Amino acid sequence: MATRDDIENWLGQIALGDRASFSALYSATSAKLFGVILRVLDNRAEAEEVLQEVYMRIWRHAGRYRVNGLSPMTWLITIARNAAVDRKRRRVAIPADMSAIDSESDSGPGPEQRAIAASENARLSDCMDELDEGHAEAVRRAYLDGETYAELASRFDVPLNTMRTWLRRSLLKLRECLSR
Amino acid sequence: MSDETPDREADKALAGEYALGLLPPDEAAAFEARLATDPVLRAVYADWAEDLARLTDRIEPVAPPPRVFGQIEARLFGKGRSTGRTWLSWIMGAMAAAVVVVAVGFGTGVLDRGPTPPGSPAYVAEIAAEDRSLVVAAAYDAGQGRLFIDRQRGAPREGRALELWLIAGEDAPVSLGVLPAEAQADLTVPTALRPRLDGAVLAISDEPPGGSPTGTATGDILAVGEITNL
């Protein structure tokens, strides 16, 4: 298991164009990132393409990973998650019709969501539990499924602005809890 | 939802929305613009990114098919698989001594204060060498076609010179000139070569005084680095 220092060193070397470090980083982290991407996209072919894009981005941007002050693994996960979500949204955008949201029937990760919720790290999990009914699920769906406000509003059957107001309130609550 | 007021409570929610990818594109862009200049906001965002990443803790790792890494390498490095590859592998094989990283500021105003290094650390190349034997930073001012060189560590061997080479795509290395004796110097990049800098490789070789007599590197490759487009 690669340590934080390992990953930081590799990123530092990758920023200098070191391909051996790139290879080492890939070996140590690609299964994790592929898992995350697959979780979002639930499609292996697409996930492979996104994984390629993610590591190309890592190669090109390794020198800037410190900019936002993220830990190296969080930086990698964030790149992978965001790339997967971008891909998923482009996919959904093709029908260019809000009704398409209702037809995303292939992935109904209800039980899976619950399993994940049960095994998150305890602090996050406890704080998520303090949120109002459904709001923790909305946060997870936004992060792990890339659902938008429009999709969440449709799912929870509330106006979009209401959805946003609720979620913002829940985020503040979550932040307050996580900062305790 | 305009964020003109630096309301830190509102920013906490906003940063969370950004981290979740929920902001509409215009708001996300505005947030990113603030992020670039507001360290407090960056810290707020970083907290969210760290905490939300924990949502992936128990996602099972899945090993990607072995071919994927080869495809990534081909897409990143495979462009010059024929001749370009030869130059690259020649360099990669020859070096191992040092690495030079070059930050290139395309656009104007990066280096518009004469022959001095950029004032903002954002444009200062971070240089390192495996054994720290030769450390050279470079920054390019696209407006003037000027390559600022800062040899921070290392020097030519006794009676020898250091020559800088540009390797663009599949082409053979082209000399950008011998590094002057001064640690800091400006090199003018020939007009024809300027469009070729982006994504190219720079290398430094050990040469006789005045540079290679043959037009190609004759001595050891001491340092090499890819040009990074800032």
Side-chain angles (χ1 to χ4, degrees):
Chain A
M1 184 65 192
T3 65
R4 177 187 173 131
D5 283 351
D6 290 335
I7 298 172
E8 260 179 3
N9 287 337
W10 288 326
L11 287 173
Q13 290 301 308
I14 290 167
L16 304 175
D18 181 43
R19 285 159 65 169
S21 294
F22 184 59
S23 180
L25 178 83
Y26 183 88
S27 298
T29 59
S30 58
K32 169 70 184 177
L33 300 194
F34 194 51
V36 170
I37 294 165
L38 263 179
R39 170 65 186 75
V40 174
L41 290 171
D42 196 24
N43 176 305
R44 284 191 78 96
E46 271 186 307
E48 281 181 30
E49 277 178 44
V50 169
L51 188 70
Q52 289 186 25
E53 288 161 16
V54 164
Y55 277 93
M56 290 169 73
R57 211 170 293 179
I58 291 166
W59 172 262
R60 289 176 180 141
H61 297 297
R64 272 176 272 174
Y65 107 83
R66 287 179 189 276
V67 169
N68 284 332
L70 305 186
S71 71
M73 204 57 220
T74 295
W75 186 73
L76 297 172
I77 290 168
T78 302
I79 290 176
R81 180 269 174 193
N82 289 351
V85 165
D86 284 349
R87 169 63 65 100
K88 188 171 189 173
R89 288 183 180 166
R90 283 205 298 277
R91 179 165 84 189
V92 171
I94 292 165
D97 182 335
M98 271 309 170
S99 67
I101 291 157
D102 299 328
S103 67
E104 59 150 38
S105 52
D106 57 328
S107 61
E112 190 191 350
Q113 288 282 1
R114 218 126 287 149
I116 288 163
S119 56
E120 277 155 18
N121 93 353
R123 184 178 66 110
L124 181 60
S125 188
D126 289 350
C127 287
M128 293 283 262
D129 285 347
E130 288 188 17
L131 298 182
D132 290 345
E133 179 83 25
H135 286 207
E137 190 193 345
V139 170
R140 286 195 188 93
R141 285 190 177 278
Y143 192 79
L144 295 172
D145 297 291
E147 291 199 0
T148 62
Y149 270 133
E151 287 165 320
L152 292 170
S154 155
R155 176 179 302 283
F156 291 93
D157 198 21
V158 293
L160 192 145
N161 284 338
T162 307
M163 188 69 228
R164 187 169 187 183
T165 306
W166 281 4
L167 198 72
R168 284 177 61 89
R169 203 180 300 142
S170 289
L171 286 173
L172 285 175
K173 213 168 144 183
L174 188 57
R175 182 79 271 148
E176 194 270 322
C177 174
L178 288 166
S179 307
R180 263 179 227 156
Chain B
M1 275 312 144
S2 157
D3 45 33
E4 280 159 310
T5 51
D7 178 341
R8 291 300 175 193
E9 265 321 276
D11 277 351
K12 283 181 193 169
L14 190 68
E17 288 180 290
Y18 175 76
L20 287 169
L22 287 169
L23 291 178
D26 56 332
E27 289 184 44
F31 183 85
E32 281 168 9
R34 290 184 54 207
L35 208 53
T37 58
D38 184 345
V40 178
L41 195 62
R42 277 202 293 277
V44 173
Y45 162 71
D47 282 346
W48 276 118
E50 296 293 341
D51 287 326
L52 291 170
R54 298 284 73 75
L55 289 171
T56 71
D57 277 356
R58 294 302 170 92
I59 294 177
E60 282 299 318
V62 182
R67 66 173 179 279
V68 174
F69 189 63
Q71 290 166 342
I72 292 166
E73 284 194 304
R75 286 173 75 179
L76 279 174
F77 317 120
K79 214 174 167 189
R81 192 163 280 271
S82 50
T83 44
R85 190 85 172 178
T86 315
W87 287 117
L88 267 183
S89 47
W90 166 67
I91 287 168
M92 293 301 170
M95 73 163 224
V99 177
V100 53
V101 161
V102 181
V104 176
F106 289 94
T108 55
V110 174
L111 292 169
D112 52 8
R113 281 164 309 171
T116 53
S120 160
Y123 296 107
V124 174
E126 169 72 17
I127 305 301
E130 288 286 333
D131 63 355
R132 311 295 293 175
S133 66
L134 178 62
V135 178
V136 177
Y140 177 66
D141 178 348
Q144 302 175 36
R146 189 168 66 87
L147 191 64
F148 171 77
I149 298 289
D150 184 10
R151 180 165 48 78
Q152 297 167 345
R153 184 143 184 210
R157 285 193 288 141
E158 188 74 24
R160 301 284 290 178
L162 296 173
E163 188 161 3
L164 183 68
W165 303 87
L166 172 71
I167 304 161
E170 302 184 9
D171 296 347
V174 179
S175 176
L176 290 175
V178 173
L179 299 189
E182 303 81 53
Q184 300 190 338
D186 282 334
L187 298 177
T188 301
V189 179
T191 312
L193 294 178
R194 291 175 193 175
R196 316 212 55 193
L197 287 171
D198 195 6
V201 168
L202 290 181
I204 294 173
S205 68
D206 170 59
E207 299 294 340
S212 162
T214 67
T216 60
T218 59
D220 292 342
I221 303 296
L222 302 174
V224 62
E226 247 183 289
I227 295 176
T228 306
N229 186 354
L230 287 180

